[in-house]
Amino acid sequence: AICANRISWYYNFTGPSISCDTACSSSLVALDLAKLYLMENKCKFAVVGGVNVLYNATLTKLFSLTGILSSSGKCRAFDKFADGYVRGEGCSVFIVSKLSTLVKQNIPVDCAIKSICVNQNGQSLTLTHPNCSAQTSVIKSALLDAHVSPQQISYIETHGTGTVRGDKIEINALETVFSECTDITIGTLKPNIGHLEG
């Protein structure tokens, strides 16, 4: 919990300083929190990041016993040979602000986020068996919030962990929302870097 506060102390950042742990959605939920603080003018810029370090083998052993880790040691997202996910380490950090602030201060913009939507699956069979209707609902909400139609989307970066049930449910949710679209590419970084969990 103290990690975010120590980073703020080191760089002399003021304003909200929060560690967010929602498992594998942590960095995206942190981005959503940053959006709320920016929109409420509680800060002008936000540093948002996610990090995962595998510092002991306890969780790896536990996950292995539950059968959610790949027995082959390879993440095969959306593949008929998918047999689970692979744990990974890494860190990603973004500095975000309102577009109007960046334009006003003549700061180069690398990308713009039109919408962020967060929800919870509710009840599902297991941890790796998400709720298709909840996933469909949050995708529709994000499109509606961004004033974007499914036909305007050309690429989707998916969760795509390589778990047999989870990947199928994610594809089913995407097919429901984008059923009338003919030219969408989907992908996931996890076969390249593993699942960074937090």
Side-chain angles (χ1 to χ4, degrees):
I2 202 72
C3 182
N5 309 125
R6 292 296 81 202
I7 292 168
S8 297
W9 173 84
Y10 183 84
Y11 288 104
N12 196 26
F13 294 152
T14 57
S17 185
I18 301 167
S19 292
C20 175
D21 183 359
T22 60
C24 51
S25 62
S26 297
S27 54
L28 289 172
V29 173
L31 190 58
D32 187 57
L33 288 172
K35 174 193 76 172
L36 294 174
Y37 284 114
L38 288 164
M39 299 314 279
E40 292 175 1
N41 295 313
K42 292 185 177 174
C43 58
K44 290 184 179 177
F45 293 88
V47 178
V48 181
V51 63
N52 196 54
V53 178
L54 306 176
Y55 56 90
N56 71 43
T58 304
L59 279 179
T60 302
K61 289 175 185 174
L62 178 66
F63 291 158
S64 182
L65 289 173
T66 64
I68 61 175
L69 294 182
S70 169
S71 59
S72 66
K74 293 182 179 178
C75 176
R76 294 185 171 99
F78 309 115
D79 189 304
K80 67 179 179 180
F81 298 111
D83 65 347
Y85 84 89
V86 176
R87 301 184 78 203
E89 292 185 306
C91 176
S92 181
V93 178
F94 294 91
I95 299 173
V96 295
S97 184
K98 284 194 218 176
L99 188 57
S100 58
T101 302
L102 298 173
V103 170
K104 190 175 182 180
Q105 295 188 24
N106 231 6
I107 298 172
V109 178
D110 291 320
C111 71
I113 300 170
K114 285 183 163 277
S115 173
I116 304 170
C117 288
V118 174
N119 77 347
Q120 164 59 30
N121 270 333
Q123 293 184 347
S124 57
L125 294 176
T126 68
L127 179 65
T128 62
H129 194 249
N131 182 320
C132 187
S133 62
Q135 288 194 357
T136 301
S137 175
V138 77
I139 296 166
K140 286 180 177 178
S141 294
L143 290 169
L144 188 66
D145 184 53
H147 306 288
V148 171
S149 73
Q151 290 77 13
Q152 292 175 274
I153 303 295
S154 60
Y155 176 78
I156 299 170
E157 177 66 20
T158 65
H159 191 46
T161 57
T163 58
V164 178
R165 291 181 186 141
D167 284 1
K168 285 180 182 174
I169 291 168
E170 185 171 14
I171 288 295
N172 289 341
L174 291 170
E175 284 178 341
T176 300
V177 177
F178 297 98
S179 60
E180 296 179 15
C181 302
T182 56
D183 193 22
I184 292 181
T185 302
I186 66 166
T188 178
L189 284 174
K190 291 184 180 75
N192 298 321
I193 63 173
H195 184 11
L196 271 55
E197 300 169 337

